[in-house]
Amino acid sequence: MFRKLLLTLVALIAVVAAVGLTFGPGYLENATNVVVDHEPYAISEDAQALHDTLVVADLHSDTLLWNRDVLARGNRGHVDLPRLQDGNVAIQLFTAVTKVPV
């Protein structure tokens, strides 16, 4: 009786963990990495000329945590290849997170 209850509990925990690991990351990213559509910011010619001469580096990205295609412009999150190209980003470090901050 105890063994059957224990096995049922272990199976239930495994199912809950599988569901959480399957759907949890997408839910967390949608909740914490919202992209808000807005009109482009006004950029002066001097600022654009300076930006065009810079080597832009983004030294932290949690993109690898989320299961999505970084080659396509996303509707959530902050880093994908099209937006990196739009921002003239030359160097991008992808990190592996071990904890999601609240």
Side-chain angles (χ1 to χ4, degrees), residues 1-15:
M1 173 75 173
F2 178 73
R3 182 178 174 163
K4 185 176 180 180
L5 180 62
L6 184 60
L7 289 175
T8 302
L9 183 59
V10 168
L12 181 61
I13 290 170
V15 168

Side-chain angles (χ1 to χ4, degrees), residues 32-76:
T32 59
N33 292 324
V34 179
V35 176
V36 179
D37 286 331
H38 59 82
E39 292 296 319
Y41 296 111
I43 301 172
S44 72
E45 289 182 20
D46 290 341
Q48 185 63 53
L50 173 64
H51 182 77
D52 291 342
T53 66
L54 299 175
V55 175
V56 180
D58 179 355
L59 302 179
H60 179 92
S61 171
D62 294 329
T63 301
L64 300 179
L65 174 67
W66 316 111
N67 184 21
R68 61 187 170 89
D69 183 6
V70 296
L71 299 177
R73 185 177 299 274
N75 60 359
R76 66 181 197 221

